[in-house]
Amino acid sequence: MNSKKSSVYLFVAGLVITGLHFPINTGLDYGFQFGVNEGVTKGINTYFLEALIGEQFRVDIFFNPLGYLLMFLGLVFISGYGKCIRNARIFTVTGCVVSIVRLLLPFVLSQYELLQPLIFLVAAEIFCMAVIMYSFMVACKKQIDNYLYMEVGKDLLFGMEIYAFAEAASYIILPFAALYIYFARGAYVLVRVLSCLAIFYYAVKVLKYTRQLHLFEKKDKNKAET
């Protein structure tokens, strides 16, 4: 199998792992109880934080740092195509660091110092994923011409935009869902489903165009001929 094509498969596997979110409770305590330790009435910020990280430590079944690592390994073996692949590598490393810090932060900061840094890290991770997906799309477009250029760009950009929108919307809706507002909980489930569908759409399109258009193979063929 072509080594570059194997790298694309590795990248796609990492993308799907990172893009899906199914947290499970580990039973490990953070060391504080929401709204109790400092004698403060439980407000919307506490409800939001509780929904964001859970009463006990939660970890994603699809472990984000592993996903970023797989994406990085896939991108390492893809060279050329301007700055886009290099940018994607940089943001896989950045995203991995952000996701690890996000996991460890509740054990470092107190409950009432935690919300704003976590919101920043959530936004940073969404941004990293958007840049990675956009950069990979540009790398794909650089290898083709004529009408397919528009088709590939449109499909991959659509998947990236829907994913970024759904991820951002889910965290905007989360405080209202945490307050058990009926429509908000339903909307939260819908945007989470939309996020999963968008990441699968992007991954399937990448695999489809890689096979059909022989993406990331030309440089290897040129080396073999020389």
Side-chain angles (χ1 to χ4, degrees):
M1 183 181 291
N2 183 277
S3 60
K4 293 289 179 70
K5 190 175 289 187
S6 300
S7 299
V8 172
Y9 295 155
L10 197 61
F11 171 81
V12 169
L15 185 74
V16 171
I17 289 172
T18 308
L20 298 180
H21 305 290
F22 294 99
I24 56 172
N25 194 337
T26 64
L28 183 63
D29 291 326
Y30 292 119
F32 56 77
Q33 292 181 331
F34 288 100
V36 174
N37 284 1
E38 298 180 26
V40 177
T41 303
K42 195 172 182 180
I44 187 170
N45 286 358
T46 303
Y47 278 108
F48 184 24
L49 187 60
E50 192 173 355
L52 193 60
I53 65 173
E55 292 185 0
Q56 293 179 311
F57 180 58
R58 295 187 305 192
V59 64
D60 204 329
I61 295 175
F62 298 96
F63 193 51
N64 280 13
L66 174 61
Y68 285 115
L69 177 61
L70 292 177
M71 282 194 286
F72 179 78
L73 291 176
L75 292 167
V76 160
F77 297 103
I78 299 175
S79 58
Y81 312 108
K83 296 180 180 179
C84 44
I85 292 296
R86 186 188 67 185
N87 291 341
R89 289 190 201 120
I90 291 170
F91 278 92
T92 54
V93 174
T94 305
C96 186
V97 172
V98 168
S99 66
I100 292 171
V101 172
R102 184 178 162 190
L103 285 173
L104 298 179
L105 204 62
F107 298 99
V108 177
L109 298 181
S110 72
Q111 171 190 348
Y112 300 100
E113 300 172 320
L114 195 53
L115 185 59
Q116 290 181 344
L118 271 180
I119 291 174
F120 172 78
L121 292 174
V122 166
E125 195 165 357
I126 294 172
F127 179 75
C128 286
M129 281 291 285
V131 172
I132 293 165
M133 295 167 77
Y134 181 83
S135 299
F136 197 81
M137 176 205 70
V138 173
C140 292
K141 287 172 64 177
K142 282 179 177 291
Q143 302 170 64
I144 51 182
D145 50 19
N146 60 52
Y147 74 97
L148 288 173
Y149 181 92
M150 295 294 294
E151 182 183 352
V152 172
K154 181 182 70 175
D155 284 346
L156 297 184
L157 186 62
F158 176 75
M160 183 215 77
E161 289 176 342
I162 295 298
Y163 173 78
F165 165 78
E167 282 290 295
S170 68
Y171 288 104
I172 293 171
I173 296 170
L174 185 59
F176 304 99
L179 292 172
Y180 299 96
I181 298 173
Y182 178 74
F183 80 89
R185 292 177 71 83
Y188 179 78
V189 171
L190 285 176
V191 293
R192 274 301 182 194
V193 171
L194 184 61
S195 172
C196 292
L197 292 176
I199 206 74
F200 277 122
Y201 177 87
Y202 186 96
V204 168
K205 288 295 183 179
V206 167
L207 295 176
K208 172 189 171 184
Y209 290 128
T210 299
R211 293 193 188 101
Q212 287 186 351
L213 305 177
H214 306 288
L215 301 181
F216 303 101
E217 294 182 12
K218 291 182 180 179
K219 290 183 180 291
D220 283 350
K221 288 181 179 178
N222 291 338
K223 286 180 182 178
E225 291 172 358
T226 55

